[in-house]
Amino acid sequence: MDSAMTAATDLLRIHGYASLQPGPRLVVLGGVHGDETCGTAGIERIVAALDGGSLQLLRGQLTLVPVANPLARRRLRREGERNLNRLFRPTAPGAEPADYEARITDLLCPLLDRHEVLLDLHSFQSEGEAFAMIGPRDNQGPLEPFSRAFEEGQLALHLGTPRVVEGWLDIYAAGLAQRGQAADEAALAFGWGTNEYMRSRGGYGVTLECGQHQDPAAPEVARRAILSALRLLGMIAPDPAAAPPRAPSLLRLVSVVDRLHAEDRFVREWATFDRVARGEPVGVREDGSVLHAERDGFIVFPNAEALPGTEWFYFAVESDRDLARPAPALSPAWSRSAA
């Protein structure tokens, strides 16, 4: 079945809630990757609470998308025809969507345009604890100019994960360079996901990796994160019993290593955030050469099943960023006018 026919049989289920009191506009996505089901489960628990009356939206607008990629979910695979969390931009005017995910993106981009805060719920293949991913620091550079780093950092801080990771798009660009590919606009566009699109529209967003795909605790991590975001934004009543958020460990991605051959293998089963020392063996190439840790740091997203030519693992180090320190001249999170 081709992309157009498949799309014709699918529905994108969207739950929208609007308070009569103005306030922030938050959109929450689950199931961007079809084998990541915890976000869907967490969202459905929030929908049930809102519909049942045990949770009340006091101000603003909340939009919940339990399954952002129906084709990938039906197949219980990461992708339908390609990765929905890449090349996340609308189809050019007058052009036909190139694939199924482009059709989904053409629906989701206008939806994100009507919001200013995004929480994108994911999970990962290897063992490891939940963590949040944030974007760049405030900058006017060409790669990803941004001015809402404090608000984004506060959202990540209040999600309650033990770690927060920064540096995705920088490392994507570096990965292109090490593969000998030009890091031009077209190539970098494929590194754009939901959060990069949201930032380009003047908003901000956080990716929450809720844990390993099959972790039975991951749906509850997702549910609690949605509630934490709503409380931070003043959209639901505060929890009087809640303690102030604890400062997480902050890591910065500094490199990515590709799997070059199907016989490339890890020296052991790595979990996300396993600590390694400089010079420690990490993997063995097909030709017998050993990959060593470039410095003291952490393994992130190890994928023993990675296809040749794709990301095998990322490497991170401790960051000096302070999520609790505000940047100057930032407006309230809900002040951006509707698109």
Side-chain angles (χ1 to χ4, degrees):
M1 185 179 292
D2 66 23
S3 174
M5 293 179 64
T6 302
T9 63
D10 272 337
L11 292 174
L12 194 63
R13 184 159 52 100
I14 300 171
H15 301 269
Y17 301 87
S19 169
L20 298 184
Q21 297 299 318
R25 297 185 303 279
L26 169 67
V27 57
V28 183
L29 302 180
V32 165
H33 297 131
D35 57 350
E36 301 175 12
T37 60
C38 59
T40 302
I43 287 173
E44 289 175 341
R45 293 175 189 180
I46 296 296
V47 169
L50 287 163
D51 290 349
S54 60
L55 182 65
Q56 293 185 324
L57 189 69
L58 301 180
R59 67 183 187 122
Q61 298 176 28
L62 172 64
T63 302
L64 302 165
V65 184
V67 179
N69 192 331
L71 176 60
R73 175 54 53 83
R74 278 203 313 275
R75 295 176 175 177
L76 282 179
R77 296 194 326 213
R78 179 176 175 82
E79 307 174 4
E81 295 181 353
R82 66 165 172 84
N83 189 343
L84 178 60
N85 211 25
R86 302 287 187 273
L87 199 60
F88 196 90
R89 290 181 175 179
T91 303
E96 285 294 317
D99 48 40
Y100 179 91
E101 276 73 12
R103 296 177 187 277
I104 293 292
T105 302
D106 286 347
L107 293 176
L108 289 178
C109 284
L111 181 69
L112 267 59
D113 289 347
R114 298 194 293 271
H115 298 77
E116 60 250 309
V117 189
L118 166 67
L119 178 60
D120 194 0
L121 302 169
H122 289 258
S123 58
F124 47 90
Q125 182 183 47
S126 61
E127 296 296 325
E129 293 182 297
F131 66 98
M133 293 189 71
I134 55 177
R137 308 178 192 199
D138 289 344
N139 74 95
Q140 295 298 320
L143 184 62
E144 193 176 14
F146 193 46
S147 63
R148 306 187 75 171
F150 175 64
E151 292 159 289
E152 192 169 279
Q154 284 289 292
L155 177 56
L157 176 66
H158 282 78
L159 296 182
T161 61
R163 291 184 178 88
V164 174
V165 178
E166 63 172 335
W168 155 250
L169 201 56
D170 286 335
I171 292 308
Y172 181 80
L176 290 175
Q178 76 182 24
R179 296 179 196 113
Q181 299 171 255
D184 56 19
E185 183 177 355
L188 287 171
F190 197 74
W192 266 36
T194 58
N195 288 329
E196 287 73 29
Y197 179 79
M198 196 70 182
R199 295 182 195 114
S200 77
R201 304 298 293 167
Y204 62 93
V206 171
T207 291
L208 176 63
E209 298 282 354
C210 299
Q212 198 274 338
H213 293 328
Q214 305 303 321
D215 187 345
E220 183 62 12
V221 172
R223 185 191 74 89
R224 290 180 180 176
I226 299 170
L227 293 176
S228 295
L230 290 168
R231 292 191 186 102
L232 173 67
L233 296 169
M235 297 173 70
I236 63 173
D239 180 359
R246 298 178 61 182
S249 169
L250 188 60
L251 303 181
R252 177 171 54 88
L253 296 175
V254 294
S255 64
V256 57
V257 175
D258 289 348
R259 195 179 193 195
L260 303 180
H261 191 279
E263 297 301 318
D264 291 351
R265 59 181 176 81
F266 289 125
V267 297
R268 69 175 179 86
E269 186 175 339
W270 295 105
T272 289
F273 300 127
D274 274 346
R275 185 185 291 270
V276 292
R278 180 180 180 181
E280 184 175 345
V282 175
V284 180
R285 294 291 192 191
E286 177 267 343
D287 63 4
S289 59
V290 179
L291 289 176
H292 298 89
E294 57 196 80
R295 61 180 109 170
D296 294 348
F298 303 85
I299 302 293
V300 181
F301 290 147
N303 184 2
E305 305 301 321
L307 296 175
T310 64
E311 299 95 334
W312 197 17
F313 66 93
Y314 291 82
F315 193 78
V317 298
E318 293 179 345
S319 171
D320 61 356
R321 186 166 174 175
D322 184 358
L323 299 182
R325 185 173 60 201
L330 286 179
S331 59
W334 49 271
S335 67
R336 186 168 65 97
S337 60

